[in-house]
């Protein structure tokens, strides 16, 4: 019989597993023994604190061991245990939930800060007299006051950085909301669909536990009740909704993957109809292939993305719970592979590991997503309650805007530029992007410009936009002074991009130049500068490779990785680049391959750091790829857009690795792509309105020192422009100046694009972004674009997001959405929510209608407009 301990109800088996994992992490982090583990003998710890710390350390990612110190984790543990005793529901939360969903310091891939006490002080008074469910709702109203949605790069900002920025992408909003809920002792987790099947992109939201039940909501986008959100309808079409837990988590939820260091659980049952599929993998002799990797792939953003990757068991099988849509299944073992489509109605598929390559040619097939489904009918929110909710949403947006008014504005930025003798436009751009961190950035410019001239500004301009929000003077000073000290005779462009710039991939920017410049002898530095492969050898031989959490690869900062003397492969590659730049050696990760390189004699040399002492350096000849226009393309064929409707990938060890080029890159016919020799697959997709994708694979080979030409072709999809209904063209909305305008007056005799939006909601913001990207083609077709909100008090919010809209765009308001109600064609549009998008022809007939979240709505509507009005 296994006895429980009084601390966190841990049974003996669990305690022994935690102790074992703890010892493994302590061995891995022996280079930082004192910084990480000194707290265990230097501080007076209670038994509860000891076990809480051991639990965190046992499953701590290698990059966290590298980047942070024990004092941070001790502070976090003590504050969390203290809060548990103070909040009214502290004794209601079982230890099982507390350990996995309250105690953890990490939510996503964010930088870790000692923020639990800060967030608690913000929320304690607001929530102390509420029920747990109402405290969750109140916390989300607070999150809405602090941040709103905006798209950004893949680096996840911390909760405090998101607050400083007053905005973030969905993963950052969810990270903030989870951290906020945990700070008041409420179990919470970020959940996400890795990729949608019916449209591009993905989404993250939050689940929180109250009184024995898990509820969901959209982070920073309050609803009057739990289990509501604009993403509810698309989630019913999801193929996976999951979350990752940093522990050996026993459930009770369905477990997709039980790794030694983390557990992935499948929550799809709570959102969509599900089926369990089985993939049986056999070798060439027909025997079950145990230990094969099985990738369950969706078409999304013009590539086939694995939403889950599992290993087969001893019987050669892998099972996966998913939705009722098509999947492309790929099984791989030791370089041999098999691949086939699993249709929505199928529950089992058999794959043979009998391929090692491809013959050149094309393959066409369709990928069908789960169908649209109606949700369970919920009781309508009483109008009085709904009005209170709308008022709180408006008040929250106003609080956030007042905070944003404290940012450095254009006039102040211009004064700073004049004071420092710097170009006003460039200074304004940098300080504007810095948002809530603008005064820190301005202080850096004021302190350093007198001595270093334009170089401080050049350093800031080399950073990503998000870096300006959470990078501070110690790091900026280190990189400025440290890089100028080693500039030498480098060409200016090489110096700025590959020495001065501290940004390598998606790691946190920290000071490291002085550290690295003092870490090696003068003789070693001369040797590294003469032959950077010697530095690669030093890293190969002195740093341990440790892989644990896939989503944290490359997130270790160079200084932490250096001190720990261990890291994942990508973090070690980033370390190589960072040390090179610190010593004045131009270096980078290859833009599309993400492999480390150094620049010498005008060219780039590949370096395979962190793989083996044998493969320290690999000089190879590359090939060139040129994409050709499709000479037989139909007039309505889509314009090329990388990650929009095409991508290409190279076959590596049985798996296609997509090459990384900028999202939306369209100048693809005007240049050749430098790529490694190998077998390639060009993927193109033409998505239909119901979400089905007409896919084309084109297999080809690139050889060293040769030019390979491949036609970029898309499968044809006929344009369907049905008549969905008709509207009264005399119906009127109100313009900002108070005058009224009818549909007929706005449209004239031609087609018109009309969208009712909620500017504070993510789906509407996606539409605004798409319209900005399509401003030119809308203008070329002289299409009236009308964007309508509930009332004219929202005009400021419209203007905030509309600066890149088509020049012909008109902002209007529709009090109580009276005109909208006369146009909406069906109930499902009500449930789907905003935006409600329509294209009307010259007779007022509805020729296109789309409600709710769907990336690509702008492009679909433009195709309809073009068909109506060539």
């Amino acid at each position: 019989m296994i006895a429980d301990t009084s601390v966190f109800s841990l049974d003996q088996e669990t305690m022994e597993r935690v102790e074992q994992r703890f010892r493994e992490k302590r061995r891995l982090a022996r280079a930082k023994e004192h910084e990480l583990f000194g707290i265990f003998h230097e501080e007076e710890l209670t038994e509860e604190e000891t076990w809480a710390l051991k639990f965190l350390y046992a499953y701590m990612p290698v990059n966290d061991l590298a980047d942070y110190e024990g004092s941070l984790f001790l502070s976090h543990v003590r504050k969390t245990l203290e809060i548990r005793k103070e909040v009214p529901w502290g004794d209601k939360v079982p230890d099982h939930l507390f350990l996995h969903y309250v105690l953890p310091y990490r939510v996503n891939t964010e930088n870790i800060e000692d923020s639990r006490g800060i967030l608690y002080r913000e929320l304690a008074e607001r929530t102390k007299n509420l029920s747990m469910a109402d405290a969750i709702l109140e916390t989300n109203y607070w999150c809405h006051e602090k941040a709103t949605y905006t798209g950004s790069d893949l680096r996840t900002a911390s909760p405090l950085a998101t607050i400083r920025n007053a905005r973030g992408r969905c993963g950052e909003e969810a990270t903030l909301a989870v951290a906020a809920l945990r700070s008041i002792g409420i179990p919470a987790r970020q959940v996400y669909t890795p990729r949608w099947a019916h449209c591009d992109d993905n989404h993250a939201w939050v689940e929180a536990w109250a009184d024995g039940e898990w509820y969901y909501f959209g982070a920073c986008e309050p609803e009057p009740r739990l289990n509501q959100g604009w993403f509810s309808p698309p989630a019913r079409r999801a193929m996976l909704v999951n979350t990752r837990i940093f522990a050996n988590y026993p459930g009770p939820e369905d477990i997709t993957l039980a790794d030694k260091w983390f557990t992935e659980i499948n929550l799809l049952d709570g959102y969509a109809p599900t089926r369990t599929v089985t993939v049986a993998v056999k070798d060439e002799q027909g025997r079950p292939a145990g230990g094969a990797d099985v990738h369950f792939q969706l078409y999304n953003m013009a590539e086939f993305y694995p939403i889950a990757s599992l290993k087969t068991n001893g019987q050669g099988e892998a099972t996966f719970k998913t939705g009722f849509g098509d999947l492309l299944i790929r099984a791989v073992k030791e370089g041999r592979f098999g691949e086939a489509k699993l249709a929505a109605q199928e529950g089992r598929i058999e794959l043979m590991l009998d391929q090692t390559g491809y013959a050149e040619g094309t393959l066409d097939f369709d990928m069908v997503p789960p169908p649209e489904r109606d949700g369970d009918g919920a009781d309508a929110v009483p109008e009085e309650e709904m009005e209170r909710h709308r008022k709180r949403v408006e008040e929250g947006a106003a609080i956030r805007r007042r905070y944003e008014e404290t940012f450095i504005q254009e006039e102040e930025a211009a004064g700073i530029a004049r004071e420092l003798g710097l170009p006003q436009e460039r200074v304004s751009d940098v300080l504007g992007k810095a948002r809530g961190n603008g005064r820190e950035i301005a202080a850096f410019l004021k302190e350093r410009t007198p001595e270093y001239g334009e170089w401080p500004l050049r350093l800031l301009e080399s950073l990503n936009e998000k870096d300006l929000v959470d990078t501070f003077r110690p790091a900026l000073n280190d990189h400025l002074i440290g890089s100028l000290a080693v500039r030498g005779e480098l060409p200016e462009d090489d110096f700025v991009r590959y020495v001065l710039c501290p940004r390598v991939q998606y790691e946190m920017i920290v000071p490291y130049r002085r550290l690295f410049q003092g870490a090696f002898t003068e003789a070693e530095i001369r040797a590294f500068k003469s032959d950077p492969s010697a530095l690669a050898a030093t890293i190969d031989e002195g740093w341990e490779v440790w892989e644990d959490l896939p989503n944290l690869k490359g997130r270790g900062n160079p200084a932490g990785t250096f001190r720990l003397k261990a890291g994942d492969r990508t973090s070690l590659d980033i370390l190589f680049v960072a040390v090179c730049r610190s010593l004045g050696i131009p270096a980078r990760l290859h833009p599309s391959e993400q492999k480390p390189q150094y620049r010498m004699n005008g060219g780039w040399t590949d370096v395979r750091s962190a793989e083996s002492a044998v493969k320290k350096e690999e000089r190879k000849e590359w090939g060139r790829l040129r994409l050709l226009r499709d000479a037989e393309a139909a007039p309505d064929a889509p314009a090329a857009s990388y990650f929009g409707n095409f991508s290409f990938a190279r076959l590596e060890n049985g798996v296609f690795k997509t090459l990384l080029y900028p999202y939306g890159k369209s100048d693809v016919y005007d240049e050749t792509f430098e790529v490694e020799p190998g077998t390639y697959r060009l993927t193109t997709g033409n998505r239909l309105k119901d979400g089905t994708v007409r896919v084309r694979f084109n297999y080809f080979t690139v050889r060293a020192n040769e030019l390979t030409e491949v036609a970029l072709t898309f499968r044809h999809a006929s344009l369907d422009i049905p008549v969905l209904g008709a509207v009264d063209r005399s119906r009127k909305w109100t313009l900002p100046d108070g005058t009224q305008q009818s549909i007929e007056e706005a449209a004239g005799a031609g087609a018109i694009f009309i969208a009712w939006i909620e500017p504070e909601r993510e789906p509407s913001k996606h539409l605004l972004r798409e319209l900005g990207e399509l401003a030119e083609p809308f203008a070329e077709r002289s299409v009236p674009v009308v964007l309508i909100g509930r009332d004219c008090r929202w005009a400021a919010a419209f203007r905030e997001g509309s600066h890149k809209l088509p020049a012909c765009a008109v902002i209007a308001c529709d009090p109580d959405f009276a005109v909208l109600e006369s146009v909406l064609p069906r109930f499902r549009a009500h449930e789907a929510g905003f935006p409600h998008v329509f294209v009307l022809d010259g007779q007022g007939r509805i020729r296109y209608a789309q409600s709710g979240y769907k990336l690509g709505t702008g492009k679909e509507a433009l195709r309809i407009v073009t068909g109506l009005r060539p």
Side-chain angles (χ1 to χ4, degrees), residues 452 479-488 495 517 529 582-584:
Y452 295 101
H479 290 293
L480 174 70
I481 298 168
S483 59
L484 291 175
V486 295
R487 181 185 176 189
F495 172 72
Q517 289 167 0
K529 296 181 76 169
S582 298
L583 303 182

Coordinates of all heavy atoms in Angstrom, one line a residue, residues 452 479-488 495 517 529 582-584:
Y452 N 28.0 58.6 -29.2 CA 28.1 57.6 -30.2 C 27.3 58.0 -31.5 O 27.2 57.2 -32.5 CB 27.5 56.2 -29.8 CG 28.4 55.6 -28.7 CD1 28.0 55.7 -27.3 CD2 29.6 55.0 -29.0 CE1 28.8 55.2 -26.3 CE2 30.4 54.5 -28.0 CZ 30.0 54.5 -26.7 OH 30.8 54.0 -25.7
H479 N 25.1 45.9 -25.8 CA 25.3 45.6 -27.2 C 25.8 46.8 -28.0 O 26.6 46.6 -29.0 CB 23.9 45.2 -27.8 CG 23.5 43.9 -27.2 ND1 24.1 42.7 -27.5 CD2 22.5 43.5 -26.4 CE1 23.5 41.7 -26.9 NE2 22.5 42.2 -26.2
L480 N 25.5 48.0 -27.7 CA 26.0 49.1 -28.4 C 27.5 49.2 -28.2 O 28.3 49.3 -29.1 CB 25.4 50.4 -27.9 CG 25.9 51.7 -28.5 CD1 25.6 51.9 -29.9 CD2 25.4 52.9 -27.7
I481 N 28.0 49.3 -26.9 CA 29.4 49.5 -26.6 C 30.2 48.3 -27.0 O 31.3 48.5 -27.6 CB 29.6 49.9 -25.1 CG1 28.8 51.2 -24.8 CG2 31.0 50.0 -24.7 CD1 28.7 51.4 -23.3
G482 N 29.7 47.1 -26.7 CA 30.4 45.9 -27.0 C 30.6 45.7 -28.5 O 31.6 45.2 -29.0
S483 N 29.6 46.1 -29.3 CA 29.7 45.9 -30.8 C 30.6 46.9 -31.4 O 31.5 46.6 -32.3 CB 28.4 45.9 -31.4 OG 27.7 47.1 -31.2
L484 N 30.5 48.2 -31.0 CA 31.4 49.2 -31.6 C 32.9 49.0 -31.3 O 33.7 49.3 -32.0 CB 31.0 50.6 -31.1 CG 29.6 51.1 -31.6 CD1 29.2 52.4 -31.0 CD2 29.6 51.2 -33.2
A485 N 33.1 48.3 -30.1 CA 34.5 48.0 -29.8 C 35.2 47.0 -30.7 O 36.4 46.9 -30.7 CB 34.5 47.5 -28.3
V486 N 34.4 46.2 -31.4 CA 35.0 45.2 -32.3 C 34.6 45.4 -33.8 O 34.7 44.5 -34.6 CB 34.5 43.8 -31.9 CG1 35.0 43.5 -30.5 CG2 33.0 43.7 -31.9
R487 N 34.2 46.7 -34.1 CA 33.7 46.9 -35.5 C 34.8 46.6 -36.5 O 34.6 46.0 -37.5 CB 33.2 48.3 -35.6 CG 32.7 48.6 -37.0 CD 32.3 50.0 -37.3 NE 31.9 50.2 -38.7 CZ 31.6 51.3 -39.2 NH1 31.7 52.5 -38.5 NH2 31.3 51.4 -40.5
G488 N 36.0 47.1 -36.2 CA 37.1 46.9 -37.2 C 36.8 47.5 -38.5 O 36.3 48.6 -38.6
F495 N 28.2 44.9 -40.7 CA 28.4 45.2 -39.3 C 27.0 45.4 -38.6 O 26.7 44.8 -37.6 CB 29.2 46.5 -39.1 CG 29.2 47.0 -37.7 CD1 29.9 46.3 -36.7 CD2 28.5 48.1 -37.3 CE1 29.9 46.7 -35.4 CE2 28.5 48.6 -36.0 CZ 29.3 47.9 -35.1
Q517 N 33.2 38.6 -24.4 CA 34.5 39.2 -24.7 C 35.5 39.0 -23.6 O 36.7 38.9 -23.9 CB 34.3 40.7 -25.0 CG 33.6 41.0 -26.3 CD 33.1 42.5 -26.4 OE1 33.3 43.3 -25.4 NE2 32.5 42.8 -27.5
K529 N 38.6 34.2 -34.6 CA 38.4 35.2 -35.7 C 39.0 34.7 -37.0 O 38.6 35.0 -38.1 CB 38.9 36.6 -35.3 CG 38.1 37.2 -34.1 CD 38.6 38.5 -33.7 CE 38.2 39.6 -34.6 NZ 38.4 41.0 -34.1
S582 N 29.8 39.0 -30.8 CA 30.4 39.7 -29.7 C 31.9 39.9 -30.0 O 32.5 40.8 -29.5 CB 30.3 38.9 -28.4 OG 28.9 38.8 -28.1
L583 N 32.5 39.0 -30.8 CA 33.9 39.1 -31.1 C 34.2 39.8 -32.5 O 35.3 39.9 -32.9 CB 34.5 37.7 -31.2 CG 34.4 36.8 -29.9 CD1 35.0 35.5 -30.1 CD2 34.9 37.5 -28.7
G584 N 33.1 40.3 -33.1 CA 33.3 41.0 -34.3 C 33.2 40.2 -35.6 O 33.6 40.6 -36.6

